[in-house]
Short mmCIF file of all heavy atoms in Angstrom, two decimals:
data_model
loop_
_atom_site.label_atom_id
_atom_site.label_comp_id
_atom_site.label_asym_id
_atom_site.label_seq_id
_atom_site.Cartn_x
_atom_site.Cartn_y
_atom_site.Cartn_z
N ALA A 413 96.55 119.65 59.63
CA ALA A 413 95.24 119.12 59.18
C ALA A 413 95.17 117.61 59.33
O ALA A 413 96.00 116.87 58.78
CB ALA A 413 95.04 119.50 57.72
N GLY A 414 94.17 117.17 60.10
CA GLY A 414 93.93 115.74 60.26
C GLY A 414 94.92 115.02 61.15
O GLY A 414 94.82 113.80 61.30
N ARG A 415 95.88 115.73 61.75
CA ARG A 415 96.91 115.05 62.54
C ARG A 415 96.88 115.41 64.02
O ARG A 415 97.47 114.74 64.83
CB ARG A 415 98.30 115.40 61.99
CG ARG A 415 98.55 114.96 60.56
CD ARG A 415 100.03 115.14 60.21
NE ARG A 415 100.41 116.56 60.26
CZ ARG A 415 101.63 116.98 60.61
NH1 ARG A 415 102.56 116.12 61.00
NH2 ARG A 415 101.93 118.27 60.60
N VAL A 416 96.20 116.48 64.40
CA VAL A 416 96.25 117.00 65.76
C VAL A 416 95.08 116.47 66.57
O VAL A 416 93.93 116.54 66.13
CB VAL A 416 96.26 118.53 65.79
CG1 VAL A 416 96.32 119.05 67.20
CG2 VAL A 416 97.43 119.07 64.96
N ARG A 417 95.37 115.93 67.77
CA ARG A 417 94.31 115.54 68.68
C ARG A 417 94.74 115.80 70.12
O ARG A 417 95.92 115.95 70.41
CB ARG A 417 93.95 114.08 68.47
CG ARG A 417 94.97 113.07 68.98
CD ARG A 417 94.31 111.70 69.14
NE ARG A 417 95.24 110.73 69.66
CZ ARG A 417 95.95 109.91 68.92
NH1 ARG A 417 95.86 109.94 67.60
NH2 ARG A 417 96.78 109.02 69.46
N ALA A 418 93.76 115.90 70.99
CA ALA A 418 94.01 116.27 72.38
C ALA A 418 94.40 115.07 73.23
O ALA A 418 93.72 114.04 73.21
CB ALA A 418 92.78 116.93 72.98
N VAL A 419 95.52 115.20 73.94
CA VAL A 419 95.92 114.24 74.94
C VAL A 419 96.38 115.05 76.17
O VAL A 419 97.43 115.67 76.15
CB VAL A 419 97.07 113.32 74.48
CG1 VAL A 419 97.53 112.39 75.61
CG2 VAL A 419 96.64 112.51 73.27
N HIS A 420 95.55 115.08 77.19
CA HIS A 420 95.84 115.91 78.35
C HIS A 420 95.73 115.09 79.62
O HIS A 420 95.55 113.87 79.57
CB HIS A 420 94.87 117.10 78.39
CG HIS A 420 93.45 116.74 78.10
ND1 HIS A 420 92.66 116.00 78.96
CD2 HIS A 420 92.68 116.99 76.99
CE1 HIS A 420 91.48 115.81 78.43
NE2 HIS A 420 91.44 116.41 77.24
N ALA A 421 95.85 115.77 80.77
CA ALA A 421 95.87 115.06 82.04
C ALA A 421 94.63 114.22 82.30
O ALA A 421 94.70 113.17 82.96
CB ALA A 421 96.08 116.05 83.18
N HIS A 422 93.50 114.62 81.75
CA HIS A 422 92.26 113.93 82.04
C HIS A 422 92.00 112.69 81.13
O HIS A 422 91.17 111.85 81.46
CB HIS A 422 91.09 114.89 81.90
CG HIS A 422 91.18 116.07 82.81
ND1 HIS A 422 91.14 115.95 84.20
CD2 HIS A 422 91.38 117.40 82.56
CE1 HIS A 422 91.29 117.17 84.73
NE2 HIS A 422 91.42 118.05 83.78
N ASN A 423 92.72 112.62 80.01
CA ASN A 423 92.49 111.45 79.14
C ASN A 423 93.77 110.73 78.78
O ASN A 423 93.80 109.88 77.89
CB ASN A 423 91.76 111.88 77.87
CG ASN A 423 92.65 112.69 76.92
OD1 ASN A 423 93.77 113.07 77.25
ND2 ASN A 423 92.15 112.96 75.72
N GLU A 424 94.87 111.06 79.49
CA GLU A 424 96.15 110.48 79.15
C GLU A 424 96.18 108.96 79.31
O GLU A 424 96.78 108.25 78.48
CB GLU A 424 97.27 111.12 79.98
CG GLU A 424 98.68 110.65 79.56
CD GLU A 424 99.77 111.29 80.38
OE1 GLU A 424 99.46 112.09 81.30
OE2 GLU A 424 100.96 110.97 80.13
N GLN A 425 95.52 108.46 80.34
CA GLN A 425 95.55 107.01 80.58
C GLN A 425 94.94 106.25 79.43
O GLN A 425 95.55 105.32 78.89
CB GLN A 425 94.79 106.70 81.88
CG GLN A 425 94.87 105.25 82.31
CD GLN A 425 96.29 104.86 82.73
OE1 GLN A 425 96.91 105.53 83.55
NE2 GLN A 425 96.80 103.79 82.16
N GLU A 426 93.74 106.66 79.01
CA GLU A 426 93.09 105.93 77.91
C GLU A 426 93.76 106.23 76.57
O GLU A 426 93.79 105.38 75.67
CB GLU A 426 91.58 106.24 77.83
CG GLU A 426 91.24 107.72 77.86
CD GLU A 426 90.97 108.24 79.27
OE1 GLU A 426 91.64 107.79 80.20
OE2 GLU A 426 90.08 109.11 79.41
N SER A 427 94.29 107.44 76.42
CA SER A 427 94.97 107.78 75.17
C SER A 427 96.25 106.97 75.00
O SER A 427 96.69 106.74 73.86
CB SER A 427 95.32 109.28 75.17
OG SER A 427 94.17 110.08 75.14
N SER A 428 96.84 106.55 76.10
CA SER A 428 98.09 105.76 76.01
C SER A 428 97.88 104.50 75.22
O SER A 428 98.76 104.08 74.42
CB SER A 428 98.59 105.42 77.41
OG SER A 428 98.92 106.59 78.14
N GLU A 429 96.74 103.85 75.40
CA GLU A 429 96.49 102.61 74.67
C GLU A 429 96.41 102.88 73.15
O GLU A 429 96.93 102.09 72.36
CB GLU A 429 95.17 102.01 75.15
CG GLU A 429 95.17 101.63 76.62
CD GLU A 429 93.85 101.11 77.09
OE1 GLU A 429 92.94 100.96 76.24
OE2 GLU A 429 93.70 100.83 78.30
N GLN A 430 95.80 104.00 72.78
CA GLN A 430 95.71 104.35 71.36
C GLN A 430 97.10 104.66 70.79
O GLN A 430 97.42 104.24 69.68
CB GLN A 430 94.79 105.52 71.16
CG GLN A 430 94.55 105.88 69.70
CD GLN A 430 93.54 107.01 69.53
OE1 GLN A 430 92.99 107.52 70.51
NE2 GLN A 430 93.33 107.40 68.29
N VAL A 431 97.90 105.38 71.57
CA VAL A 431 99.24 105.72 71.10
C VAL A 431 100.07 104.44 70.89
O VAL A 431 100.79 104.30 69.89
CB VAL A 431 99.95 106.65 72.11
CG1 VAL A 431 101.44 106.78 71.78
CG2 VAL A 431 99.29 108.05 72.07
N VAL A 432 99.96 103.49 71.82
CA VAL A 432 100.69 102.25 71.68
C VAL A 432 100.29 101.53 70.42
O VAL A 432 101.15 101.02 69.65
CB VAL A 432 100.45 101.36 72.90
CG1 VAL A 432 100.91 99.91 72.64
CG2 VAL A 432 101.18 101.90 74.13
N ARG A 433 98.99 101.49 70.11
CA ARG A 433 98.54 100.83 68.88
C ARG A 433 99.10 101.51 67.64
O ARG A 433 99.52 100.84 66.68
CB ARG A 433 97.02 100.83 68.82
CG ARG A 433 96.33 99.89 69.82
CD ARG A 433 94.87 99.67 69.48
NE ARG A 433 94.12 100.93 69.55
CZ ARG A 433 93.51 101.37 70.64
NH1 ARG A 433 93.58 100.66 71.77
NH2 ARG A 433 92.83 102.51 70.64
N GLU A 434 99.13 102.84 67.67
CA GLU A 434 99.61 103.59 66.49
C GLU A 434 101.10 103.40 66.30
O GLU A 434 101.58 103.23 65.16
CB GLU A 434 99.26 105.05 66.64
CG GLU A 434 97.77 105.32 66.50
CD GLU A 434 97.36 106.73 66.93
OE1 GLU A 434 98.04 107.30 67.82
OE2 GLU A 434 96.37 107.24 66.40
N VAL A 435 101.87 103.42 67.39
CA VAL A 435 103.32 103.21 67.27
C VAL A 435 103.61 101.80 66.77
O VAL A 435 104.49 101.59 65.92
CB VAL A 435 104.01 103.51 68.61
CG1 VAL A 435 105.50 103.16 68.52
CG2 VAL A 435 103.87 104.99 68.99
N LYS A 436 102.86 100.84 67.30
CA LYS A 436 103.05 99.45 66.82
C LYS A 436 102.75 99.36 65.32
O LYS A 436 103.37 98.53 64.61
CB LYS A 436 102.10 98.52 67.56
CG LYS A 436 102.58 98.15 68.95
CD LYS A 436 101.63 97.14 69.60
CE LYS A 436 102.15 96.70 70.96
NZ LYS A 436 101.23 95.71 71.60
N ALA A 437 101.85 100.18 64.82
CA ALA A 437 101.50 100.16 63.39
C ALA A 437 102.50 100.93 62.53
O ALA A 437 102.32 101.04 61.33
CB ALA A 437 100.09 100.74 63.19
N GLY A 438 103.55 101.46 63.16
CA GLY A 438 104.59 102.15 62.40
C GLY A 438 104.43 103.65 62.35
O GLY A 438 105.15 104.32 61.60
#
């Protein structure tokens, strides 16, 4: 609940930026 989101071949490039921000935030 509230934790699952789609990251697939078609949006992986833009999703990478969001993942980097989240990992930086701990």
Side-chain angles (χ1 to χ4, degrees):
R415 298 189 297 148
V416 180
R417 72 161 182 265
V419 176
H420 43 70
H422 301 295
N423 72 351
E424 186 179 1
Q425 186 67 51
E426 51 267 36
S427 294
S428 298
E429 298 177 5
Q430 184 176 358
V431 168
V432 166
R433 289 194 297 270
E434 289 169 331
V435 174
K436 282 183 176 180

